[in-house]
Amino acid sequence: MRIELAKGAPAAPDSPALGGAPHGSKPRSLRPGMAALTLGALGVVFGDIGTSPLYSIQTVFTADNNAVGTSPDQVYGVISLVFWAITLIVSVKYVSFILRADNGGEGGIMALTALVQKLNFKSVRSKVILVALGIFGASLFYGDGMITPAISVLSAVEGLKVSAPGLSDFVIPVTIAVLMVLFALQRYGTNLVGNLFGPVMTVWFLVIGATGAVELAGHPAIFKALSPTYGVEFMVNHGMIAFIALASVVLAVTGAEALYADMGHFGRAPIHRAWFFLVFPALTLNYLGQGSLILRSPSSISNPFFLLMPGWAQFPMVILATVATVIASQSVISGAFSVTRQAVQLGVLPHMTIKHTSEHEVGQVYAPMINWGLFAAVVALVLGFGSSAALASAYGVAVTATFVLNTVLFLAVARVMMRKPRWLIAVGAVVFLTTEIAFFAANLTKVVHGGWLPLLVAFTVFTVLITWQRGRQIVTPNRTALEGPLRAFVDEVDAMDPPVHRVDGTAVFLNANLETTPLALRANVEHNHTLHQNVIIVSAMTEKVPHVDESERCTFDDLGHSDDGITHLTLRFGFMDDPNIPQALRLAAQHPDAGQIHGLDVDEVSYFLSRMTIVRTDAPGMRRWRKKLFMTLANNTSSPVAYFGLPSDRCVIMGAQVSV
């Protein structure tokens, strides 16, 4: 039976509290061996950056009507900039430093933002600004999630123009077909193709490294480009042309954020080993090979990656490249699901349907609304831009802005949490921020040519996130005032004369605030004059760590009365965990400290939820348009019944109004 009062009322934005545990809530099993983890990291972590050779060098030399020439000094300069960009940003910054800043083993800009929230700054304003920057960085990720599948798959299929020119007209249809299959498979989870990722990407890196090495064996002069002096001379001697080139050079390091974001799946050591032993050498050889090819055949700038292959290998390489770019796209799409989930559980996005696709792997989730929204955006980008070269103009802005924000947040964590000396922080700021701000400034020249797109997406998402966050900050106190103190309410119930009528059974009332009374519980007593024999008030709390061990999941409180059948149960989850209240109740019922609820039959429990109707007022705090946006978001939140895994036939939803 499900009784619903106040039909159509939106769920309270913070009730019940966000939180959760992995499906099954089983302790993590021991991780597989280092070799298996390294192979897995090759398939998931390096897909994006590993497929950058498909389009990055081509874009450098063809952008802005071939502004960058093919003279030896310019080719050496470009390859030098590419090599040192990868070295500084990926090898030094991410692999050597930022991977050390984990939040309970998890990485990514949302985890870095959670670390910042824990820091004690002298100025509250500093923390607010840094957290806002972190939220904006997460917003940029959605722009990246739109562009990466489009540019990656499109650049791979464009190999048909080289290997089979007669099929050039099929590039767009084939790209859309591949993308359609990719997004349709998301509902089945990454396990469907995950076992193929590592071996395929291993073959990919071996092949692109080998093709570069073959070219270098005959024309080794390009090795001179490994000296940073060629990059510096190119910047000094070619001024604006070199500045324009920077906007495309940065495409060689797209996907670097994945090294950090996917750290929780594999750990720092496997990522470190895969990068330095295979990925970095293979990329270096391939970029050097493309540079050598351009030196001896300037016309190859039309597609140096595929022209580096012998004719017989070009069509098979199109197939391998398409598979590799699907893998690269998969990692970004999965990342978008993970960022969405973290944002929901950190309270900057409303509840939405997020499904687990594996009972064994933490973090494998599927968000239908995000999936199909991304698909529509990706198809629109493919049709609207038409080529990977055109899409490259829109790509760099989001990537470089994310680099800058990650560096700023990391330096704050390194200074305050890791207590690194000021001089070391200053050196890091000079080395990394100077480089990354230069890349970002160069990409700003592309804003009018498509770079506006990821910025528009980021600002739109950012507006939604901070509006939801601010709305919750306003609504929560108003709701708290309606609920009243929990202990005072329990004292009143126990002091009633005659006592309140008790009915058989167990009622669970979900409430976000540990200190206040669930509105459904208050209404039950004040209006229905009844109370179940056993009452459990559940508060599900989200900690600022990825995972909470089962042994620390439950906290019990008899609220000062050990024999009245009323128990407060606090459930703690990490922001990477999946909520499941019935499962947590089973765990709690077996706990030695369970007291009045020990041995509870969870299958016979009735669940009571409070559903809020948001009413707009003229009170200060947010502009009217933001209040309208907040109410729209509140009206479209997913049901807490599904979110917390509650049996819908045993739920009672009661409504109330709260102002914003």
Side-chain angles (χ1 to χ4, degrees):
M1 176 185 69
R2 177 175 175 173
I3 302 172
E4 182 166 340
L5 305 182
K7 290 184 178 293
D14 64 333
S15 177
L18 303 178
H23 186 74
S25 199
K26 298 176 181 178
R28 281 183 169 184
S29 59
L30 292 175
R31 287 186 168 186
M34 183 61 68
L37 283 171
T38 303
L39 185 65
L42 280 170
V44 176
V45 175
F46 299 103
D48 194 356
I49 196 170
T51 53
S52 293
L54 279 164
Y55 50 81
S56 54
I57 298 298
Q58 174 190 5
T59 304
V60 172
F61 288 98
T62 58
D64 296 285
N65 299 316
N66 300 0
V68 179
T70 56
S71 62
D73 63 323
Q74 294 186 68
V75 175
Y76 288 149
V78 166
I79 300 302
S80 180
L81 289 176
V82 168
F83 173 76
W84 284 102
I86 295 173
T87 299
L88 285 176
I89 294 176
V90 185
S91 297
V92 178
K93 174 188 161 182
Y94 276 100
V95 178
S96 300
F97 288 108
I98 287 193
L99 257 63
R100 299 176 187 273
D102 67 284
N103 184 30
E106 297 289 346
I109 195 163
M110 289 300 286
L112 200 54
T113 303
L115 284 178
V116 169
Q117 287 181 317
K118 297 178 182 179
L119 302 180
N120 294 319
F121 290 93
K122 294 180 180 179
S123 169
V124 175
R125 184 178 181 183
S126 298
K127 178 182 285 191
V128 171
I129 292 174
L130 287 171
V131 170
L133 290 177
I135 294 174
F136 185 68
S139 304
L140 283 168
F141 190 85
Y142 288 98
D144 187 20
M146 290 167 46
I147 298 174
T148 295
I151 192 173
S152 297
V153 177
L154 189 54
S155 63
V157 180
E158 282 174 345
L160 290 173
K161 296 180 180 180
V162 176
S163 61
L167 299 177
S168 297
D169 292 340
F170 291 92
V171 168
I172 299 297
V174 170
T175 298
I176 293 176
V178 170
L179 289 168
M180 186 177 297
V181 172
L182 172 64
F183 281 92
L185 291 176
Q186 294 305 310
R187 60 178 297 187
Y188 299 107
T190 54
N191 273 340
L192 185 67
V193 289
N195 292 333
L196 297 176
F197 283 11
V200 169
M201 291 308 295
T202 300
V203 171
W204 169 261
F205 287 119
L206 290 173
V207 169
I208 66 172
T211 54
V214 169
E215 171 66 26
L216 293 172
H219 306 85
I222 193 67
F223 274 110
K224 293 187 294 185
L226 295 180
S227 170
T229 57
Y230 285 93
V232 173
E233 289 176 0
F234 177 57
M235 295 295 296
V236 172
N237 297 334
H238 293 277
M240 184 54 67
I241 290 177
F243 185 69
I244 292 173
L246 283 180
S248 301
V249 167
V250 76
L251 296 176
V253 290
T254 57
E257 169 66 11
L259 303 179
Y260 185 37
D262 290 323
M263 181 172 61
H265 296 286
F266 306 100
R268 178 175 175 267
I271 294 174
H272 187 276
R273 295 186 182 197
W275 173 255
F276 283 112
F277 285 108
L278 179 59
V279 181
F280 188 31
L283 291 175
T284 300
L285 288 172
N286 192 265
Y287 283 126
L288 288 171
Q290 290 190 48
S292 176
L293 176 65
I294 293 171
L295 282 175
R296 68 179 179 86
S297 177
S299 62
S300 64
I301 62 172
S302 61
N303 202 320
F305 178 84
F306 283 103
L307 291 173
L308 198 59
M309 318 287 165
W312 61 267
Q314 288 174 355
F315 188 76
M317 194 61 187
V318 171
I319 297 175
L320 178 59
T322 302
V323 175
T325 54
V326 166
I327 293 173
S329 303
Q330 173 68 51
S331 64
V332 174
I333 296 168
S334 299
F337 297 158
S338 296
V339 168
T340 299
R341 181 173 178 239
Q342 292 180 39
V344 168
Q345 296 191 323
L346 286 174
V348 294
L349 264 183
H351 291 288
M352 63 178 65
T353 300
I354 298 177
K355 302 178 180 178
H356 279 262
T357 57
S358 171
E359 294 188 1
H360 309 290
E361 297 298 327
V362 175
Q364 290 191 11
V365 295
Y366 169 62
M369 186 171 72
I370 300 298
N371 183 66
W372 294 113
L374 281 178
F375 173 69
V378 169
V379 170
L381 288 176
V382 170
L383 295 175
F385 285 83
S387 71
S388 60
L391 268 170
S393 296
Y395 203 10
V397 177
V399 173
T400 52
T402 303
F403 287 164
V404 172
L405 294 175
N406 259 314
T407 299
V408 171
L409 294 177
F410 172 72
L411 291 176
V413 171
R415 173 59 185 157
V416 180
M417 180 177 287
M418 300 179 182
R419 301 189 181 282
K420 299 298 180 181
R422 292 181 183 272
W423 68 265
L424 186 59
I425 301 300
V427 170
V430 170
V431 173
F432 298 130
L433 288 180
T434 299
T435 303
E436 293 166 352
I437 290 175
F439 280 130
F440 178 67
N443 275 277
L444 288 179
T445 63
K446 295 185 175 183
V447 168
V448 296
H449 301 294
W452 56 268
L453 180 63
L455 292 179
L456 177 62
V457 171
F459 279 112
T460 301
V461 174
F462 180 70
T463 300
V464 170
L465 297 183
I466 62 171
T467 296
W468 183 256
Q469 184 184 47
R470 178 57 183 152
R472 290 178 69 247
Q473 291 172 350
I474 295 173
V475 165
T476 300
N478 295 340
R479 174 175 178 159
T480 299
L482 288 175
E483 292 173 333
L486 175 58
R487 285 184 176 271
F489 177 80
V490 173
D491 290 341
E492 290 175 12
V493 170
D494 285 343
M496 284 184 177
D497 188 17
V500 65
H501 179 64
R502 308 294 286 255
V503 298
D504 291 338
T506 300
V508 172
F509 294 85
L510 271 65
N511 199 43
N513 196 325
L514 280 68
E515 305 297 330
T516 61
T517 308
L519 288 173
L521 175 59
R522 184 178 288 278
N524 225 24
V525 173
E526 294 180 353
H527 300 291
N528 298 332
H529 308 294
T530 60
L531 201 62
H532 283 72
Q533 200 66 41
N534 294 302
V535 173
I536 307 173
I537 302 165
V538 174
S539 295
M541 309 300 295
T542 302
E543 304 292 341
K544 293 177 181 176
V545 295
H547 308 287
V548 173
D549 191 83
E550 283 187 353
S551 62
E552 301 174 357
R553 177 84 68 224
C554 308
T555 302
F556 304 89
D557 187 352
D558 62 13
L559 302 173
H561 301 271
S562 60
D563 57 354
D564 63 354
I566 302 177
T567 301
H568 187 277
L569 172 63
T570 302
L571 300 175
R572 290 183 171 83
F573 302 97
F575 65 79
M576 288 293 290
D577 292 334
D578 183 40
N580 190 307
I581 297 297
Q583 178 189 54
L585 284 174
R586 288 188 176 90
L587 178 68
Q590 304 306 315
H591 198 284
D593 298 331
Q596 300 176 92
I597 66 171
H598 187 76
L600 170 72
D601 185 357
V602 177
D603 293 330
E604 298 300 321
V605 166
S606 296
Y607 297 89
F608 289 78
L609 295 89
S610 305
R611 172 162 289 189
M612 297 292 98
T613 301
I614 309 298
V615 179
R616 191 182 69 198
T617 68
D618 294 327
M622 281 200 303
R623 295 183 181 274
R624 291 180 63 86
W625 68 268
R626 289 186 67 192
K627 290 183 178 182
K628 289 182 179 179
L629 174 59
F630 177 75
M631 293 174 65
T632 300
L633 294 171
N635 275 300
N636 288 278
T637 56
S638 64
S639 169
V641 174
Y643 184 81
F644 288 115
L646 305 179
S648 58
D649 60 340
R650 303 195 64 82
C651 289
V652 178
I653 301 177
M654 307 181 73
Q657 291 186 343
V658 64
S659 62
V660 64

